Amino acid sequence: MEIEEWEKRYVEAVSNVKSELLNVQGVFVAYNSNVDAMKHVREENIKSLIRIVGFEKIREKIIAYPREINEPADFLARLIIAMRDGKAAEVPTYTSDLHEWLMDNMVFDSARMGGQAGIISNLLANLGVENVITYVPWLSKDQSEYFVDSPNLKHPVIENGKLFLKHPKDAYDPDQKPKINWILEFSKGVRFRCSGEEFVVPRDNRLIVSSRPKWLRIDMNPEMYEQLSGIRENIDGAILSGYQMIKEEYDDGTTYKDYVKRAVNVIERLKGCNPQMRLHVEFTSIQNKVIRKALLTDIVKKHVTSLGLDTVEVANALNVLGYEELAYSVINKGENSIVSLYEGAAMLLKELELQRVHIHSLGFYICVVSKDHPLDADAHRQALLFASAVAATQAATGNIESIDDIDIGLSVPVYDQGYRDLIELEKHLVRSNICSAADFEDGCISALDHDLIIVPSKVVKDPVATVGIGDAISAGAFIALLAKMPKINICRVME
């Protein structure tokens, strides 16, 4: 299919999904929300910070590749690695010292809603989803101010033993401290020197320094858990994220196993009498391999229906599941990397017993779907195209205020390189007798034990912001699929 034909498919898909979104009764979104301190890193910033910390110390840390940030040298090492490679990364810090050091030596440009669940909740509310029920275990007054003022956005709260749904600004804990992350964005072409080497940033991207204070828990209080039935009657599905914040051990003697078990209990409680409820987990960068594997094998596997990842996250997932060679091939920049990405997606679908694996990569999206998924390939393709238009709008404007804004994304052209990457995948599939060139033409391929849906995406040349783009892609596709699902609330039928 030529690019011009893809553009026509985009217009058709967006029009269809916009007319169907009212079919969605509601979505539950949890857990991670925080305040993002935004900083666009310029050449003079990186030079100044390198002078303050020192070349030699930073060089040692780059070699060591710190997986958490305990001091400024750890921070500079991971920032330089991210800028050098042009790749997104998220690294945790368990102390407030770095925040104070950055405030003393750089200062942020602005603050905004952060965290996958927070970003997705605001997006879905602005798209007009009837009920967006967000849940943040650490909802503070400061945090509540970053949720959009929309009557369809609600947060559960227990009052006098009863469950009520209120806007987050009326549901916060007055004693809760805010969680603040640093988002350091950098632009393609920025030059800097470190340890005698000169680097040029190859691509717009960002480093996220995620604060993990000791009080942070991915959990739900017992009263809220017991009354989840009052929420599930108003939703068709759930988007869950933030599991990367689970720690191996806690000061009170509990371990990650306790919080994994509680996370699964919440999922099963949400399903309740409706085991067919759509449940999506949005993956992210998880430095700790024990937690990464536990999320995949103990929370995702057998408990949810859908998983969303980017290219690096696919490699990380494959690595902890024992597919190291395939993981390496996924992140290798060779011409076969897209083939490995598809094979990796198919492996995750099978290994984790999912119905859907959605991968967003620069220039194209890949979705591998099990044969027992209730929707056909065309519905999945429309969902991906809608998601791409949503992401393009988010990148171009920095904020989507209504469903009509998506037309802005339609004006962004399909990315040429992404279109060419898909041609490489076509060659592999045809050579492997998985499909014919004609089958590949419309982006919907029926393989032996799964369906493959691929679309070239729209990419904004000079994005206003990069944070939240992946969340917009996954949430956009998921909500589009929910809009197309048969609407039978088994819980209500039984009652």
Side-chain angles (χ1 to χ4, degrees), residues 157-164 221-228:
V157 61
I158 302 295
E159 294 179 353
N160 299 318
K162 294 184 178 180
L163 176 72
F164 295 90
N221 73 58
E223 279 189 298
M224 190 80 70
Y225 171 78
E226 290 299 326
Q227 298 198 43
L228 273 180

Side-chain angles (χ1 to χ4, degrees), residues 3-43:
I3 286 182
E4 292 76 13
E5 187 61 31
W6 277 112
E7 295 286 10
K8 292 178 183 177
R9 295 291 179 97
Y10 263 99
V11 173
E12 179 184 337
V14 169
S15 176
N16 288 344
V17 175
K18 284 170 70 173
S19 68
E20 295 165 342
L21 274 185
L22 289 177
N23 295 338
V24 180
Q25 183 178 228
V27 181
F28 178 74
V29 186
Y31 294 87
N32 58 329
S33 180
N34 50 261
V35 178
D36 277 349
M38 309 291 295
K39 178 66 181 180
H40 194 88
V41 180
R42 295 172 174 80
E43 189 174 345

Side-chain angles (χ1 to χ4, degrees), residues 311-312 314-315 318 325-332 337 340-341 344:
T311 304
V312 173
V314 170
L318 291 169
E325 187 174 339
L326 182 56
Y328 175 78
S329 184
V330 165
I331 57 175
N332 182 21
S337 60
S340 300
L341 193 59

Side-chain angles (χ1 to χ4, degrees), residues 269-334:
R269 191 80 171 181
L270 280 172
K271 291 179 185 177
C273 46
N274 187 3
Q276 298 304 312
M277 180 178 286
R278 303 290 104 185
L279 291 151
H280 175 87
V281 165
E282 187 63 11
F283 204 64
T284 191
S285 173
I286 303 177
Q287 303 296 319
N288 186 305
K289 290 186 176 182
V290 172
I291 303 303
R292 193 192 309 163
K293 186 174 183 179
L295 166 56
L296 293 167
T297 59
D298 299 334
I299 296 178
V300 170
K301 187 174 183 177
K302 295 185 178 180
H303 299 295
V304 305
T305 55
S306 175
L307 182 66
L309 320 86
D310 66 19
T311 304
V312 173
E313 291 157 5
V314 170
N316 289 341
L318 291 169
N319 182 273
V320 294
L321 293 175
Y323 301 99
E324 292 91 349
E325 187 174 339
L326 182 56
Y328 175 78
S329 184
V330 165
I331 57 175
N332 182 21
K333 295 182 179 179

Side-chain angles (χ1 to χ4, degrees), residues 86 339 378 443 457:
V339 174
D378 181 62
S457 65

Side-chain angles (χ1 to χ4, degrees), residues 121-355:
S121 296
N122 278 351
L123 172 64
L124 296 183
N126 283 340
L127 288 178
V129 175
E130 184 177 351
N131 289 296
V132 180
I133 303 174
T134 188
Y135 177 70
V136 184
W138 50 85
L139 185 62
S140 66
K141 184 178 187 299
D142 286 348
Q143 182 65 68
S144 72
E145 297 294 328
Y146 290 91
F147 282 98
V148 296
D149 285 316
S150 182
N152 57 336
L153 178 59
K154 302 160 188 174
H155 192 286
V157 61
I158 302 295
E159 294 179 353
N160 299 318
K162 294 184 178 180
L163 176 72
F164 295 90
L165 296 175
K166 298 183 175 184
H167 190 276
K169 291 181 181 178
D170 299 316
Y172 66 83
D173 179 353
D175 298 321
Q176 179 64 56
K177 295 179 180 179
K179 178 183 181 299
I180 302 175
N181 285 1
W182 277 77
I183 312 296
L184 299 118
E185 298 188 312
F186 43 85
S187 299
K188 178 180 178 180
V190 171
R191 295 176 179 272
F192 62 96
R193 295 182 65 85
C194 184
S195 299
E197 292 185 73
E198 182 175 82
F199 300 100
V200 180
V201 177
R203 175 182 164 190
D204 293 349
N205 229 313
R206 84 280 180 186
L207 171 71
I208 301 175
V209 179
S210 178
S211 69
R212 309 280 173 83
K214 289 184 177 181
W215 44 260
L216 201 68
R217 298 288 191 278
I218 296 296
D219 202 3
M220 182 174 285
N221 73 58
E223 279 189 298
M224 190 80 70
Y225 171 78
E226 290 299 326
Q227 298 198 43
L228 273 180
S229 58
I231 291 175
R232 69 177 179 234
E233 292 176 6
N234 298 309
I235 62 174
D236 300 311
I239 299 176
L240 306 171
S241 60
Y243 297 116
Q244 66 271 20
M245 296 179 187
I246 296 175
K247 294 171 59 178
E248 279 194 68
E249 297 179 347
Y250 293 86
D251 292 344
D252 62 3
T254 56
T255 72
Y256 73 95
K257 294 181 180 179
D258 297 294
Y259 288 93
V260 165
K261 182 178 180 180
R262 293 175 192 178
V264 170
N265 287 343
V266 168
I267 290 171
E268 295 306 311
R269 191 80 171 181
L270 280 172
K271 291 179 185 177
C273 46
N274 187 3
Q276 298 304 312
M277 180 178 286
R278 303 290 104 185
L279 291 151
H280 175 87
V281 165
E282 187 63 11
F283 204 64
T284 191
S285 173
I286 303 177
Q287 303 296 319
N288 186 305
K289 290 186 176 182
V290 172
I291 303 303
R292 193 192 309 163
K293 186 174 183 179
L295 166 56
L296 293 167
T297 59
D298 299 334
I299 296 178
V300 170
K301 187 174 183 177
K302 295 185 178 180
H303 299 295
V304 305
T305 55
S306 175
L307 182 66
L309 320 86
D310 66 19
T311 304
V312 173
E313 291 157 5
V314 170
N316 289 341
L318 291 169
N319 182 273
V320 294
L321 293 175
Y323 301 99
E324 292 91 349
E325 187 174 339
L326 182 56
Y328 175 78
S329 184
V330 165
I331 57 175
N332 182 21
K333 295 182 179 179
E335 63 179 20
N336 291 322
S337 60
I338 188 172
V339 174
S340 300
L341 193 59
Y342 157 59
E343 293 174 345
M347 185 63 71
L348 291 176
L349 185 80
K350 180 179 179 180
E351 183 78 19
L352 300 177
E353 301 178 32
L354 293 161
Q355 287 194 337

